Amino acid sequence: MNKRTKILIVDDDKDYVDAIKTILEIKNYEFGFACNREEAMHEIEKMKPDLIILDVMMEKLNTGFEICYKLKHDPEKKKIPVLVISAITAKTGFKFSPKIDGEYFEADDYVEKPVKPDDLLERVEKLLKR
Amino acid sequence: MEKQNKILVIDDEETMLDCCSQVLCPLGLVVETAKNGRLGLDKLKEIKPDVVLVDLRMHGISGMEILEKINEIDEQIVTIVITGYGTLESAIEAMKKGAYDFITKPFTPDVLRITMKRALDKRKLSLEAISFQQEKERLRQNFISIVSHEIKSPIVTVQQNLEIILNEMFGKITDKQREILLRMNLKLTELKKLVNDWQKIAAINSQEIVENMEILKLDEIIYDVETALEEQIRNKKIKMKINIPDSISRVFYGDKSRLKEVFLNLLDNAVKYNHENGEVEISARENGNYIAISIIDTGIGIDAKYLPFVFDEFFRVRDEAKLDLGAGLGLFIVKKIIDAHSGKVEARSELGAGSTFTVFLPKVKNDKFNSGRI
């Protein structure tokens, strides 16, 4: 494959985006960024990412949920894997993961912030292989 | 300009309606009339009055029935009942049903004016109280969400960068450097937990909990909680014993996510304050009108002198400072959630032998269960 894999990082904390990018940069990925729902939807159209890394709390407490819902109910875009990275635990009042509270969230994978670099790289690879 | 207050007069005597209009309109009030109970109810829904004047004795739908309906439509509508001479008893009954005041026929225009003025003052005050309450709640919720997000974001970003250095992605670090970085990371984790707990406490709302109540399977909740703490249980080689009779599942109800939080906190403590190779038993039984669920550990126990305070906000046992104790909000959260369920929680302990925390939750009533909804 000669085309670079494209990852869109959606998070409103620029410094956090930089940290994630620092980790993923050791692979030869191409990056895009968005810090709110509007930008995210725009970037998805424009760059057609192979994977989306998504935060939950942005301009609204549930921006990430909204974006994810929109994607997963779109016949085209629902194929794009979504990895949620978030510090949120309050939505369900319980530490949630697709395993325990999967009914709330249709993301393909979920990991709590901060994430171990090896763990992040592994999850990204795994989702890209699908 | 202040909006004009709307008055609805319901009486089957036409002259009475006219009299009331004549007295009240000059006071700058919008007066609507209805000549029987049914029309009155229609008007009530349509114009949403501030004050309703209603005759208790009417043909068809009685004033008493209207009074009940008013409470269903809007509790804040102030009602004055009109009673006939010598029917004080029915006036009292009406007041018990929520009427604000009564006037007895025949009455002078002054009596009507004074009573109406008081009723309007009452209406104004109760509307103000509600709007202040809503505003206060909105500010509180917003403040907490925004502040906790704003505090958590930088903590997490710092931790993420620490992880990058600890992972030696950009060069080796010495053991001493690692130790220092891990210490920093731990402190940040504690700070984050404090913010999380604070956010949780603020989010516990009795009204919402009551609305979220459903019939639950206790064994499933305990299983989920155990799964979430799998690692800690394994690391400490804790032996788990679970004893939940099937019959409990039929009468056990509550807010699922909040109760998970309760048992997560209790089981976490039972593991954290346990010895290696210790035991934790979770057992449930019916106890009068309650379901009693006990979490029994064989851990370090709590000194009797501290026991009465364990559910207090920010309380922690000072003698055990060397243990990682968190901010002392866990049991406070437990108590707040259980209180909102109209239950109770109890702690027994013997220093050195272990502790037993028991949660008492009201049983679901049979009639509620049969209807399928709570």
Side-chain angles (χ1 to χ4, degrees):
Chain A
M1 221 168 52
N2 46 20
K3 242 184 77 206
R4 282 167 79 196
T5 304
K6 288 177 287 186
I7 297 178
L8 175 64
I9 307 175
V10 187
D11 196 312
D12 63 343
D13 183 348
K14 177 75 179 56
D15 300 316
Y16 191 80
V17 171
D18 283 345
I20 291 296
K21 202 177 125 220
T22 307
I23 299 169
L24 294 173
E25 258 169 357
I26 64 159
K27 305 272 175 172
N28 192 25
Y29 299 131
E30 197 182 313
F31 299 100
F33 312 102
C35 67
N36 56 43
R37 180 178 158 152
E38 202 190 324
E39 271 184 40
M41 297 323 282
H42 179 75
E43 279 300 312
I44 293 166
E45 282 298 335
K46 205 179 86 186
M47 83 178 263
K48 307 213 179 318
D50 300 294
L51 175 88
I52 297 166
I53 290 178
L54 182 63
D55 183 24
V56 176
M57 281 214 239
M58 280 170 269
E59 77 265 39
K60 281 198 296 184
L61 297 180
N62 62 348
T63 300
F65 285 88
E66 287 178 6
I67 294 173
C68 193
Y69 185 88
K70 234 181 147 134
L71 286 176
K72 294 299 174 188
H73 290 85
D74 180 312
E76 282 292 309
K77 300 184 185 90
K78 72 176 179 196
K79 292 175 205 126
I80 310 171
V82 175
L83 168 60
V84 170
I85 305 187
S86 170
I88 184 190
T89 52
K91 173 84 184 174
T92 61
F94 193 70
K95 186 173 165 174
F96 71 86
S97 68
K99 197 171 99 192
I100 292 173
D101 284 334
E103 68 264 33
Y104 290 102
F105 218 170
E106 296 168 272
D108 298 271
D109 197 4
Y110 172 88
V111 64
E112 204 176 331
K113 279 182 185 177
V115 53
K116 298 246 181 282
D118 291 343
D119 190 21
L120 176 65
L121 287 163
E122 205 178 292
R123 284 172 195 264
V124 167
E125 289 273 289
K126 212 166 147 190
L127 288 174
L128 286 170
K129 262 185 208 146
R130 298 212 311 210
Chain B
M1 205 188 91
E2 218 175 303
K3 93 172 179 42
Q4 276 186 303
N5 285 306
K6 281 184 266 184
I7 314 296
L8 174 63
V9 188
I10 311 170
D11 199 320
D12 53 6
E13 282 178 52
E14 203 101 18
T15 46
M16 194 64 186
L17 297 176
D18 290 344
C19 287
C20 286
S21 298
Q22 276 173 28
V23 175
L24 297 173
C25 284
L27 301 177
L29 302 167
V30 178
V31 182
E32 295 269 350
T33 57
K35 62 174 191 281
N36 63 46
R38 199 180 45 77
L39 291 172
L41 284 178
D42 292 344
K43 274 255 164 80
L44 198 64
K45 286 171 198 155
E46 183 196 320
I47 66 166
K48 298 197 170 53
D50 297 285
V51 177
V52 176
L53 259 168
V54 58
D55 190 356
L56 277 184
R57 280 184 45 189
M58 285 185 296
H59 294 294
I61 302 176
S62 77
M64 219 53 105
E65 282 171 74
I66 290 181
L67 202 51
E68 283 166 18
K69 288 271 167 28
I70 290 176
N71 283 336
E72 282 168 26
I73 294 167
D74 179 1
E75 280 187 357
Q76 304 311 320
I77 294 176
V78 179
T79 315
I80 301 167
V81 296
I82 305 167
T83 62
Y85 177 73
T87 51
L88 195 61
E89 270 166 30
S90 53
I92 289 168
E93 201 198 325
M95 302 276 280
K96 279 185 190 157
K97 284 205 163 126
Y100 171 67
D101 206 348
F102 67 94
I103 43 179
T104 311
K105 275 193 236 180
F107 51 82
T108 63
D110 266 343
V111 169
L112 179 58
R113 277 187 212 111
I114 291 164
T115 314
M116 183 55 67
K117 190 179 174 305
R118 286 184 48 234
L120 286 168
D121 284 347
K122 152 86 180 160
R123 165 81 173 165
K124 196 171 156 220
L125 278 177
S126 54
L127 289 182
E128 273 175 7
I130 290 172
S131 90
F132 279 136
Q133 192 61 36
Q134 284 169 345
E135 180 65 8
K136 195 182 125 201
E137 185 56 25
R138 200 184 57 79
L139 284 175
R140 194 182 70 100
Q141 287 291 351
N142 267 357
F143 175 76
I144 290 162
S145 316
I146 293 165
V147 170
S148 44
H149 185 212
E150 293 305 310
I151 296 173
K152 267 196 297 191
S153 289
I155 297 175
V156 168
T157 302
V158 173
Q159 283 191 305
Q160 192 61 67
N161 283 295
L162 284 174
E163 288 290 351
I164 293 171
I165 300 174
L166 282 164
N167 201 60
E168 303 187 321
M169 294 183 80
F170 302 101
K172 279 220 155 306
I173 53 170
T174 66
D175 288 350
K176 193 67 199 173
Q177 284 169 338
R178 176 174 299 275
E179 189 192 316
I180 294 167
L181 291 171
L182 285 172
R183 213 151 56 208
M184 289 162 70
N185 205 7
L186 183 68
K187 282 290 137 191
L188 290 172
T189 304
E190 282 173 16
L191 183 55
K192 201 171 61 186
K193 180 162 189 318
L194 176 64
V195 179
N196 276 338
D197 283 352
W198 180 57
Q199 201 180 2
K200 271 180 214 153
I201 289 168
I204 298 169
N205 169 329
S206 320
Q207 184 64 36
E208 202 185 296
I209 285 183
V210 170
E211 281 164 16
N212 284 342
M213 285 212 190
E214 55 181 327
I215 293 177
L216 300 170
K217 292 208 162 73
L218 179 61
D219 50 349
E220 280 180 17
I221 290 177
I222 299 295
Y223 175 80
D224 284 351
V225 167
E226 215 189 321
T227 310
L229 293 171
E230 219 165 32
E231 205 182 319
Q232 289 96 309
I233 294 171
R234 201 176 37 234
N235 288 346
K236 254 193 159 161
K237 303 186 184 75
I238 301 290
K239 200 176 148 220
M240 293 290 306
K241 279 206 289 194
I242 298 191
N243 178 16
I244 301 168
D246 283 347
S247 59
I248 300 283
S249 289
R250 281 186 283 112
V251 285
F252 180 71
Y253 79 129
D255 177 329
K256 191 174 180 182
S257 64
R258 300 289 186 212
L259 287 182
K260 272 189 185 177
E261 182 73 37
V262 164
F263 294 113
L264 186 73
N265 274 318
L266 292 176
L267 184 59
D268 187 42
N269 281 346
V271 173
K272 189 154 68 182
Y273 301 122
N274 220 319
H275 304 290
E276 209 157 281
N277 296 311
E279 255 180 42
V280 175
E281 185 186 333
I282 301 176
S283 70
R285 61 185 190 282
E286 295 190 38
N287 180 313
N289 291 326
Y290 292 90
I291 299 292
I293 306 119
S294 298
I295 288 96
I296 307 154
D297 69 62
T298 56
I300 57 174
I302 304 161
D303 196 321
K305 69 179 177 209
Y306 294 129
L307 217 44
F309 310 110
V310 290
F311 295 106
D312 290 358
E313 200 170 4
F314 291 112
F315 176 81
R316 46 186 204 188
V317 178
R318 298 286 162 188
D319 305 1
E320 306 291 343
K322 46 191 183 298
L323 277 161
D324 156 39
L325 280 149
L329 289 174
L331 288 176
F332 178 68
I333 292 175
V334 166
K335 184 159 170 17
K336 270 202 91 165
I337 295 175
I338 298 302
D339 283 349
H341 278 81
S342 309
K344 53 191 177 178
V345 54
E346 183 185 275
R348 289 165 196 265
S349 188
E350 198 182 322
L351 199 59
S355 309
T356 298
F357 283 86
T358 306
V359 170
F360 295 88
L361 286 167
K363 271 199 264 189
V364 64
K365 304 220 170 44
N366 278 332
D367 51 335
K368 286 180 177 173
F369 177 69
N370 288 337
S371 70
R373 281 281 314 156
I374 297 183

